[in-house]
Amino acid sequence: MTVQLDAWHVVSLVSLLIGAFWSVAKLLLSQQQRHQDRRFEAIEELITNEASQWDRIERELLMLKADLPLNYVRREDYIRGQSVIEAKLDGLATKFENALLRGMVNGGKHAD
């Protein structure tokens, strides 16, 4: 059994094979492109959602920074205020002691 092929048959067969490979390659590339487009859309949506979350967190942080001085006292400020109160109490105690000592020295006489 012999198969005879003319030149145009060979050219047609080769061009058919090249066309088939080209079609399959183009189909695979288009499917790959669609898959990548879907992934990029999903990533863009995720980035958009994440950006809105960051905006919310930034807004909450700014609100916290604004409320922080109103609701909390720094440790140094508390210590400074407490030191002033204790110094005034010590001064008042010294005045009471002096008044008691003057009363003992005068023998119970009131200074008029």
Side-chain angles (χ1 to χ4, degrees):
M1 176 176 179
T2 58
V3 178
Q4 273 189 320
L5 293 174
D6 291 333
W8 68 274
H9 285 131
V10 173
V11 170
S12 299
L13 186 62
V14 168
S15 65
L16 180 69
L17 287 174
I18 290 174
F21 283 128
W22 179 257
S23 301
V24 169
K26 190 173 179 178
L27 178 69
L28 289 176
L29 285 175
S30 67
Q31 285 180 349
Q32 181 68 22
Q33 184 68 33
R34 266 188 272 138
H35 178 70
Q36 285 184 351
D37 288 343
R38 274 189 254 139
R39 289 191 66 185
F40 284 140
E41 287 173 4
I43 289 172
E44 285 178 8
E45 184 178 326
L46 183 67
I47 288 172
T48 303
N49 288 340
E50 197 169 301
S52 68
Q53 291 292 326
W54 279 111
D55 288 342
R56 183 184 58 81
I57 289 172
E58 184 178 351
R59 200 173 321 117
E60 288 178 2
L61 182 63
L62 289 175
M63 290 175 59
L64 177 67
K65 285 174 89 177
D67 289 343
L68 203 57
L70 301 175
N71 296 330
Y72 297 100
V73 177
R74 291 184 61 192
R75 184 172 186 248
E76 294 83 13
D77 293 338
Y78 175 76
I79 291 172
R80 188 179 319 123
Q82 199 67 22
S83 297
V84 168
I85 291 172
E86 289 175 3
K88 287 182 178 182
L89 286 175
D90 286 343
L92 191 60
T94 304
K95 285 182 182 178
F96 280 132
E97 286 177 3
N98 289 340
L100 286 174
L101 287 176
R102 269 190 251 138
M104 292 173 87
V105 169
N106 292 336
K109 294 181 183 175
H110 295 283
D112 290 328

